[in-house]
Amino acid sequence: MIIQLEQDILPGQLAEVQRELEARGYASTEVKTQSQHYLVGVGKKPVDIRQIGTLPGIRDIHRVSDGYKLVSKKWRVHDTILDLGDDIKIGSGHFQIMAGPCSIESEEQVSAVVDHLVANKVKIMRGGVYKPRSSPYSFRGLGQDGLKMFHRLCREQGIRIITEVMMVEQIGEMHDYVDIFQVGARNAQNFNLLDALGEVDKPVLLKRGMSGTIEELLQGAEYVFSHGNEKIMLCERGIRTYESAYRNTMDINAIAMLKKMTHLPVIADPSHGIGIRAFVEPIALASVMAGADGVIMEVHQTPEKAASDGQQTLNFVEATDAYRRIRAARALWEEF
Ligand code: PEP
Ligand code: MN
């Protein structure tokens, strides 16, 4: 059950609502986000919500039987829109492409990608400065200095930045240089990190864990939301299955399912989803037709020389074609 409270609810009124819930066998958690105030009720017995909903201080009340509550589509009339300023929006009809290298490598590299994005009207650049790598001997990113350089070059052109945060301790120093915090697949259930991102006032892109279920992804988002941050998008990036012909199995089903289950925007990452350059674009197109609110993809001026994930990275010519077809697919999807 989700109870939307009035912003000016009195402490006594709040206590009264909590008492009434308790009397019906419901444990309640108070959630204050940057924009709203809620009580999330968890219990088993059926309750006539009208009896609670008429108490003073309550704006609205909703029955939500899903394990995840605040991110469920059951109670929100409108899907969430993330607003990055300058009319760069994601969700509820707003579609964005995010593109850039797997890793931020050099000033020269970032400048080339920024020019390519500007020429193609792509507004959000991806690029990791803290890289989770399977081997400790692989390139692990340029860190905070790299992020500052990334930010300076993007800011000059109005390009927004999405980059991965790996630890709670990094959030503070990264905050002013980031527009969207990415939580990687390997951290999808790092609940301390998710809690901490709940305190942040910037959007969070939460990737699905390598072997995470859709429900677990939604529960991860519930951590961020219930700690105060409603600005979340979910990302399908492929899961690990028994299939070894490609890097991961892009679960297109999940995109369609998530669009029915949650009000949050759903983003597709076909680069990690299949891991093979030649198939990134078709999988992106399939994701768009499944209803994705955006696509995030790896792009580099010379993928063969990329410090990481070159095998799944498009060059500028391939990427330019992909953007055009992704936008055409989106236009077709909107007509349906
Ligand atoms: C990435 O985006 O480069 C990345 C490491 O992604 P994931 O967490 O999905 O593996
Ligand atoms: Mn990568």
Side-chain angles (χ1 to χ4, degrees):
M1 174 194 310
I2 292 178
I3 300 173
Q4 289 176 273
L5 303 170
E6 297 288 2
Q7 290 294 2
D8 58 358
I9 187 170
L10 302 170
Q13 293 173 331
L14 180 61
E16 173 66 9
V17 180
Q18 285 171 313
R19 263 198 306 278
E20 290 292 333
L21 286 171
E22 206 177 313
R24 289 167 174 78
Y26 275 66
S28 64
T29 304
E30 185 184 359
V31 171
K32 253 191 176 159
T33 68
Q34 284 125 15
S35 52
Q36 289 212 55
H37 194 180
Y38 310 88
L39 269 184
V40 179
V42 178
K44 292 210 166 61
K45 289 189 214 139
V47 176
D48 182 351
I49 57 172
R50 290 168 303 182
Q51 290 173 357
I52 309 250
T54 46
L55 292 169
I58 293 184
R59 235 176 71 199
D60 212 344
I61 181 162
H62 317 266
R63 202 189 303 279
V64 180
S65 50
D66 303 322
Y68 46 91
K69 307 275 179 209
L70 292 159
V71 304
S72 168
K73 200 165 184 121
K74 296 237 170 79
W75 69 279
R76 264 222 170 143
V77 185
H78 301 291
D79 282 348
T80 293
I81 300 177
L82 303 177
D83 190 347
L84 300 170
D86 293 336
D87 213 30
I88 305 172
K89 295 180 183 159
I90 307 173
S92 194
H94 302 275
F95 183 88
Q96 292 295 333
I97 296 174
M98 310 177 216
C102 180
S103 304
I104 296 300
E105 297 164 10
S106 66
E107 193 153 337
E108 188 191 8
Q109 176 221 30
V110 175
S111 290
V113 176
V114 167
D115 289 347
H116 157 80
L117 297 181
V118 170
N120 285 284
K121 299 192 166 54
V122 174
K123 310 279 176 48
I124 305 171
M125 179 164 165
R126 62 147 289 144
V129 295
Y130 294 111
K131 295 303 301 177
R133 303 304 304 275
S134 300
S135 163
Y137 308 116
S138 300
F139 176 63
R140 295 175 71 180
L142 296 181
Q144 183 69 11
D145 290 343
L147 179 58
K148 287 186 179 162
M149 175 270 287
F150 182 16
H151 177 261
R152 175 168 50 79
L153 297 178
C154 284
R155 165 63 45 95
E156 286 167 6
Q157 302 288 341
I159 299 278
R160 303 302 192 266
I161 287 179
I162 172 165
T163 194
E164 178 164 354
V165 57
M166 289 179 61
M167 299 192 302
V168 173
E169 296 72 23
Q170 290 164 346
I171 296 174
E173 61 176 24
M174 290 175 76
H175 183 273
D176 292 350
Y177 303 96
V178 167
D179 298 295
I180 304 168
F181 281 103
Q182 174 176 324
V183 177
R186 292 154 193 82
N187 265 319
Q189 287 191 307
N190 179 341
F191 300 122
N192 293 325
L193 182 62
L194 300 178
D195 281 351
L197 288 167
E199 319 262 316
V200 164
D201 61 353
K202 295 208 169 169
V204 174
L205 176 140
L206 178 58
K207 288 204 172 192
R208 182 174 181 183
M210 297 259 201
S211 51
T213 63
I214 292 172
E215 169 103 16
E216 284 164 343
L217 175 60
L218 290 164
Q219 292 282 25
E222 190 81 13
Y223 269 85
V224 180
F225 198 127
S226 64
H227 277 76
N229 187 356
E230 302 195 11
K231 299 173 191 155
I232 309 162
M233 54 192 133
L234 303 171
C235 179
E236 168 57 43
R237 48 78 72 202
I239 48 173
R240 186 166 279 179
T241 68
Y242 56 80
E243 184 52 70
S244 58
Y246 31 74
R247 184 176 180 184
N248 290 301
T249 297
M250 182 70 175
D251 184 4
I252 304 280
N253 298 3
I255 297 170
M257 288 286 291
L258 283 165
K259 290 297 297 171
K260 287 275 175 273
M261 296 166 89
T262 178
H263 55 80
L264 299 175
V266 178
I267 308 299
D269 176 349
S271 307
H272 295 87
I274 188 157
I276 302 169
R277 183 182 309 145
F279 304 122
V280 168
E281 182 194 298
I283 298 305
L285 299 180
S287 303
V288 171
M289 296 323 269
D293 298 291
V295 171
I296 184 164
M297 50 201 258
E298 291 182 334
V299 173
H300 191 289
Q301 58 270 58
T302 43
E304 14 344 294
K305 293 196 188 141
S308 55
D309 284 352
Q311 82 291 344
Q312 64 191 33
T313 300
L314 305 190
N315 65 33
F316 291 169
V317 174
E318 292 162 336
T320 301
D321 278 343
Y323 306 145
R324 184 169 48 77
R325 295 199 188 103
I326 287 169
R327 287 171 176 144
R330 173 67 184 187
L332 188 60
W333 178 85
E334 279 168 12
E335 273 179 35
F336 286 170

